Amino acid sequence: MYTRTLVTAPASEPITLSQAKAHLRVDHSDDDTAITRLITTARQYVELVTGRAMLAQTWDVYYDWFPRCDQMPLPFGQLRTVDAFAWTDSGGTTRTWTVSGSDLVESGTTRAHIDAVNEPARIALAYSQSWPTDTLKTSNPIRVRITCGYTTVPSNLAAAMLLLVDHWYRNTSAVIVGEMASVGTAEIPMAFGALIANFRLHA
C-alpha cells in the first residue's frame, strides 16, 4: 500500500534514563549507555506493534499509484501535519498540491481534506474532485511528508516501555530452559500485551 522513510527522529524519548534506572533499581552509571539504547529500542518496538508514533517525528510516505477510492490512508495515528504532497510523472516532472491548514489546494481550488481525527489518518478527496490522472514514474512516484506523534504519551505506553526495558535488561542473551537444556529466549511478559491492547491500530 505504501512505504515510508524516517526523515526526522524524535528529539527525545518518552521515558528518561533516570526513570528507567529507578524502575530497574539501578543506582550506578556502568550501564547507562546500554539502558539508554534499550529505551530507544523499547519506544521503536511499541511503535511497531501499535502502529502509533510515540513522539513528534517526520516521515516521507511513498505510494506507487493514486487510490481507486476517494481516500488515501496514512500511517500512524496522532497526525500533526501534512507537510508536503507531491508526485512525479513518467517524464520526470514533479507536481504538487499546496497544504493550506487542513486542506490540499491547487490553483485556489481545494482538492482534498486532511483527516487527522481518523485513525490511522487519511487524505480524502473534496466533493467532486478526483486524483491526478498523470502517467506516473514507475517507482515511488507519490510522496507525502507527514509529522506525527503524541504531545503527551499515554501512561500505558510509557509503562509498556518500562516493562520492555526491564525485561531486556535482565535477559540480555538466550536462556537455558527445560530438562534437555535447549536454548530459547525469554518471552516478553504478558502484561505488555495488556498495556498496549487498546492502542493497536488495525489498518
Side-chain angles (χ1 to χ4, degrees):
M1 184 163 41
Y2 53 69
T3 58
R4 61 197 188 208
T5 301
L6 181 64
V7 177
T8 305
S12 60
E13 296 295 349
I15 58 175
T16 65
L17 175 61
S18 296
Q19 289 172 323
K21 290 176 69 173
H23 180 82
L24 295 170
R25 300 183 184 276
V26 171
D27 57 7
H28 57 78
S29 60
D30 296 354
D31 295 338
D32 282 7
T33 299
I35 295 170
T36 298
R37 189 181 304 115
L38 289 177
I39 291 170
T40 298
T41 303
R43 189 255 306 162
Q44 292 172 337
Y45 187 78
V46 170
E47 290 176 336
L48 175 66
V49 297
T50 62
R52 296 180 181 275
M54 296 278 277
L55 289 173
Q57 49 197 275
T58 300
W59 291 79
D60 277 341
V61 188
Y62 295 95
Y63 303 80
D64 283 332
W65 52 76
F66 286 106
R68 295 182 179 179
C69 62
D70 62 356
Q71 298 178 1
M72 176 180 286
L74 297 169
F76 309 116
Q78 301 74 55
L79 178 69
R80 296 189 178 201
T81 57
V82 172
D83 305 311
F85 186 97
W87 66 97
T88 304
D89 66 22
S90 58
T93 299
T94 298
R95 296 175 170 83
T96 63
W97 284 352
T98 302
V99 181
S100 178
S102 61
D103 294 331
L104 294 171
V105 301
E106 180 184 41
S107 301
T109 300
T110 298
R111 304 303 301 270
H113 304 294
I114 301 163
D115 180 2
V117 176
N118 192 68
E119 291 189 318
R122 60 188 175 181
I123 295 172
L125 286 174
Y127 179 72
S128 78
Q129 299 299 310
S130 58
W131 301 112
T133 57
D134 303 278
T135 301
L136 301 174
K137 75 172 187 175
T138 55
S139 62
N140 300 323
I142 305 164
R143 179 179 67 89
V144 184
R145 177 164 291 186
I146 62 173
T147 298
C148 51
Y150 283 108
T151 301
T152 302
V153 174
S155 58
N156 276 30
L157 297 183
M161 281 186 60
L162 286 171
L163 197 65
L164 288 176
V165 171
D166 184 272
H167 175 71
W168 288 333
Y169 181 75
R170 302 185 193 287
N171 296 278
T172 57
S173 61
V175 296
I176 305 300
V177 295
E179 294 181 356
M180 299 301 294
S182 59
V183 178
T185 56
E187 296 182 355
I188 292 174
M190 292 178 61
F192 175 80
L195 287 168
I196 67 168
N198 291 334
F199 294 90
R200 291 179 182 268
L201 295 179
H202 303 286

